[in-house]
Amino acid sequence: MSADRRTVLTGLVSLAALPAIARAAPAPFHLDTPMAAPRWATMQRDLLAAHTAACEDYYQRYVDKNDALECFVRWGANDGPDDAAEFTNDWVLLHALGASDRLLTLSQRFWEGHLRQYGRARTRDVPVARRGMYHRDFPAQMDWQHNAEGLSTFNVMGLSAPDDPRLALRTRMFADLYTGRDRSVGNYDPKARVIRSLMNGSRGPLLRTATPLDWAGDPFDASRFHLEHGEDDYAQFLAHYAEYTDVVGDNPLNLQATTLGLNAYALGLGDRFRQWALDYFDAWASRARANGDILPSKVGLDGKAAPDWWGGTYGWNFSPVVPQTGAREHRNRVPRSITAFYNALLLSGDMEYMHLWRRQTQRINNAACMVDGALSAPTMYGPDGWHGWKAGPYRTSAFEIWYATQDPQDREIAGDDPWIAFIEGRNPGYAEEVLSADRQRLNARVAAYRADTSTPETRLADWTLDFNPASAKALVQTMTGGLHIARPTWSRTSPPQGGVPLHCRLRYFDPARRRAGIPEDVAALVHGMTDRETRVTLVNLGTAPRDVVVQGGAFGEHRIDAVMQGSVRRDVAARSFAVTLSPGCGADLTLAMTRYANRPCLSLPWKR
């Protein structure tokens, strides 16, 4: 989009987002109509409580007294620092929803402990990590599929601890590894608007052909470990990455770095982070337009799409050999970058960033043809054109496009899903079903790690991930009407991606305890959403009154224009509103909203 267009748009957004500096807070809504405890509400409260005991037990099982993960420490994309960092995935998110403060405390302790652990760890053979797998608390050099996974907890810490000075310090430092402000690393070229390599980090970009060693890490005897990626030995580790060589230049996966810019801006660290992110996004949007509405996967150091724009590691034509089978497997990771474009939407309010993905989807579906008697769409592109045919329309990322736009034409291509059916009033039992499924998952994982016979000498960093009892999917969906992209089981077509911020319709805060999350005894169910409305039920299951602040969006990005209860309407015109729930009482509320009207902000509502 043009700079002039964005200036006009963001100027309007900034007016809408101005803080109410001198305006008194409106009186809270009082909800005092008795409501029998819904089953979904008791299930939410049970699930929030169950996570605390399970996660504490899991922590004691696998973390030492120094808050380091008890495992065989390695560098590598299979089982390296990013896997260790994922040990507490979803814990902070659960806290931000209303779970115990203990989950936040343990997450912060583990984050510090694993930074010390991998900061001290050294490689022998991999050049970039010989002075530390972490440098300045950040991976020395890796791709942004793995960098983002390792930041899954860090990237949501601002939801619960926006005033933590360590969070602000690191967010600024990490973001400046990519804004060009930190000239000691050279990851970003502001003139060409490129991150200069697929492999980058606190030691800078890799500007040569990558080797299997760069990806797989130092040689080791793998015979005593369970290898989560299916390899039999270290030789297969190397063979897995034999074709992961083409890394110089920019790749859409690098757009995940803009989450650091988003969080830096939302934490109040300066508008320059917002400007950098949008400038980088606009460079990619221009490349897509010049490439027939398809994001190129290989961009040269000059900022232009390469002649083989479909090339590069993780690109449109990336289908390396699987060493265990000898067959080629499609590993096009371009679709994962749609989660990064949500950052641009949050920072600008401009839906054009989603329309770019709509046009790409249309372009791919326009290439559909008959294959084995079925109309099939491609998923890959190479020198001979489209390939990687799959029966049916191309739906990858279609759910995320529709969730953002709420446009009927995007709804059609998104297909159906049990959660969509629930939101549209066609699957009334879904909330209880999904909450029950996550409770069963928690129980199964507790049983699994208690039966685990591994020792620190026989497990790699990724071994514990399948035992993590935490899962925020059901609570994010039912409480906030939000996306949980790290576990995309709600949509068979959506690509998983770590490190994604929370995207949701509503968030809740406890003004009595001055913390993020819904207060004790309170439950919330988002059961209807359209472009301009959100329908939510709030209920207090306890015997004492509870105050709750309801906010539009994870970052306060959605303006709540009015609240309706039955025939009564009250204007709000703000990011949030307060509710007082009498004991045993609740109500169905309809919120009139203007989505993406406000600039993102992570400050707690009473501190704005």
Side-chain angles (χ1 to χ4, degrees):
M1 69 205 67
S2 71
D4 289 343
R5 177 182 175 187
R6 195 174 71 218
T7 299
V8 171
L9 172 79
T10 55
L12 292 173
V13 171
S14 65
L15 289 174
L18 286 175
I21 297 173
R23 185 175 63 204
F29 290 78
H30 288 274
L31 303 182
D32 53 11
T33 302
M35 177 182 285
R39 185 164 179 263
W40 59 261
T42 59
M43 294 174 75
Q44 280 185 0
R45 296 308 316 181
D46 169 72
L47 190 55
L48 285 168
H51 274 102
T52 302
C55 290
E56 286 200 87
D57 193 28
Y58 170 73
Y59 198 93
Q60 292 298 320
R61 173 70 176 81
Y62 294 111
V63 179
D64 70 16
K65 64 181 181 181
N66 297 312
D67 297 311
L69 184 63
E70 294 187 312
C71 68
F72 183 76
V73 174
R74 295 192 70 252
W75 169 265
N78 274 21
D79 53 2
D82 65 293
D83 294 294
E86 291 186 272
F87 181 81
T88 57
N89 276 6
D90 271 5
W91 294 23
V92 173
L93 192 52
L94 286 163
H95 176 270
L97 293 172
S100 168
D101 287 336
R102 187 69 175 152
L103 292 187
L104 175 61
T105 299
L106 289 175
S107 296
Q108 292 171 322
R109 279 177 47 185
F110 182 78
W111 183 258
E112 299 298 325
H114 106 282
L115 290 180
R116 293 189 296 268
Q117 181 179 20
Y118 282 87
R120 291 192 298 263
R122 305 286 193 269
T123 57
R124 298 181 309 275
D125 298 349
V126 178
V128 77
R130 286 174 180 156
R131 291 177 291 166
M133 298 180 187
Y134 278 169
H135 171 59
R136 297 164 63 193
D137 294 344
F138 198 84
Q141 191 179 81
M142 189 50 70
D143 69 288
W144 267 93
Q145 176 176 312
H146 295 92
N147 284 342
E149 289 172 353
L151 291 169
S152 292
T153 291
F154 182 83
N155 282 349
V156 295
M157 281 185 175
L159 298 175
S160 286
D163 298 324
D164 183 349
R166 297 171 302 178
L167 178 64
L169 176 68
R170 288 187 178 123
T171 301
R172 178 188 289 112
M173 180 172 66
F174 294 172
D176 276 336
L177 294 173
Y178 295 95
T179 63
R181 176 67 65 96
D182 186 341
R183 297 182 180 178
S184 69
V185 287
N187 285 317
Y188 187 67
D189 180 345
K191 292 183 179 179
R193 296 190 290 178
V194 293
I195 292 177
R196 300 166 65 211
S197 174
L198 174 67
M199 300 187 76
N200 52 73
S202 56
R203 294 288 186 190
L206 183 64
L207 297 175
R208 58 167 170 80
T209 298
T211 68
L213 180 68
D214 294 320
W215 290 92
D218 287 353
F220 74 114
D221 179 5
S223 62
R224 70 178 188 270
F225 301 102
H226 177 82
L227 305 179
E228 289 286 285
H229 295 263
E231 294 86 353
D232 295 323
D233 50 35
Y234 177 73
Q236 288 190 351
F237 271 53
L238 292 175
H240 178 101
Y241 293 106
E243 297 177 70
Y244 284 57
T245 56
D246 190 355
V247 300
V248 178
D250 212 346
N251 180 292
L253 279 176
N254 285 333
L255 285 159
Q256 301 296 339
T258 62
T259 301
L260 298 170
L262 166 66
N263 279 333
Y265 176 78
L267 288 169
L269 302 181
D271 189 66
R272 66 182 180 86
F273 294 102
R274 174 180 172 275
Q275 295 296 337
W276 162 73
L278 290 178
D279 194 46
Y280 186 40
F281 277 113
D282 287 351
W284 276 100
S286 295
R287 292 164 192 150
R289 284 194 296 270
N291 196 46
D293 292 325
I294 300 292
L295 278 170
S297 57
K298 184 177 180 181
V299 172
L301 295 176
D302 61 358
K304 299 178 181 178
D308 58 335
W309 59 264
W310 53 83
T313 300
Y314 289 138
W316 284 101
N317 197 43
F318 189 62
S319 302
V321 171
V322 178
Q324 299 94 305
T325 66
R328 291 196 173 273
E329 180 178 274
H330 297 325
R331 294 181 190 155
N332 171 17
R333 299 294 188 250
V334 174
R336 296 190 180 197
S337 59
I338 189 172
T339 60
F341 275 81
Y342 263 80
N343 296 341
L345 176 58
L346 283 166
L347 289 165
S348 69
D350 191 348
M351 204 59 71
E352 172 61 21
Y353 292 108
M354 289 294 110
H355 295 165
L356 178 156
W357 284 84
R358 174 197 290 167
R359 291 192 295 272
Q360 178 171 278
T361 298
Q362 290 173 338
R363 173 78 187 277
I364 294 171
N365 278 320
N366 288 343
C369 64
M370 299 300 293
V371 177
D372 296 330
L375 185 63
S376 303
T379 60
M380 307 288 290
Y381 192 96
D384 297 323
W386 293 107
H387 63 104
W389 305 95
K390 290 187 177 181
Y394 182 81
R395 298 189 189 277
T396 304
S397 305
F399 184 97
E400 287 89 348
I401 297 169
W402 167 76
Y403 183 86
T405 67
Q406 292 292 288
D407 191 304
Q409 68 172 300
D410 297 321
R411 170 66 188 87
E412 182 179 356
I413 192 63
D416 209 358
D417 176 88
W419 184 41
I420 297 179
F422 170 69
I423 292 299
E424 295 177 343
R426 297 182 287 108
N427 186 11
Y430 176 76
E432 294 177 10
E433 291 171 5
V434 72
L435 289 164
S436 176
D438 265 12
R439 188 61 162 94
Q440 292 173 26
R441 177 186 181 276
L442 184 152
N443 293 343
R445 293 219 164 181
V446 169
Y449 73 66
R450 288 179 177 172
D452 178 26
T453 59
S454 70
T455 66
E457 294 75 28
T458 62
R459 57 178 175 255
L460 300 173
D462 58 353
W463 173 251
T464 62
L465 298 184
D466 286 339
F467 298 136
N468 180 3
S471 173
K473 172 197 167 185
L475 292 167
V476 166
Q477 286 186 340
T478 60
M479 294 177 68
T480 76
L483 301 179
H484 191 244
I485 293 173
R487 280 185 65 212
T489 52
W490 42 259
S491 173
R492 66 184 185 281
T493 61
S494 298
Q497 176 59 52
V500 179
L502 176 62
H503 299 286
C504 63
R505 279 300 180 92
L506 301 177
R507 268 187 76 197
Y508 311 95
F509 299 85
D510 185 343
R513 297 179 62 197
R514 285 298 200 253
R515 55 154 285 181
I518 205 157
E520 186 179 355
D521 297 327
V522 178
L525 179 65
V526 173
H527 51 86
M529 297 188 300
T530 65
D531 180 24
R532 300 302 298 270
E533 280 191 355
T534 302
R535 297 188 298 280
V536 61
T537 299
L538 297 175
V539 60
N540 178 3
L541 305 177
T543 58
R546 297 294 182 187
D547 295 327
V548 57
V549 175
V550 182
Q551 175 180 281
F555 296 81
E557 67 272 19
H558 305 320
R559 186 177 68 235
I560 300 173
D561 298 315
V563 179
M564 287 81 75
Q565 182 187 1
S567 61
V568 178
R569 174 188 172 105
R570 184 187 294 184
D571 291 336
V572 176
R575 293 177 186 260
S576 62
F577 66 96
V579 173
T580 296
L581 284 157
S582 296
C585 293
D588 296 329
L589 305 177
T590 299
L591 313 184
M593 304 180 74
T594 302
R595 297 181 308 118
Y596 303 106
N598 300 321
R599 296 269 183 91
C601 178
L602 283 167
S603 294
L604 298 171
W606 43 87
K607 291 193 173 185
R608 290 179 190 143

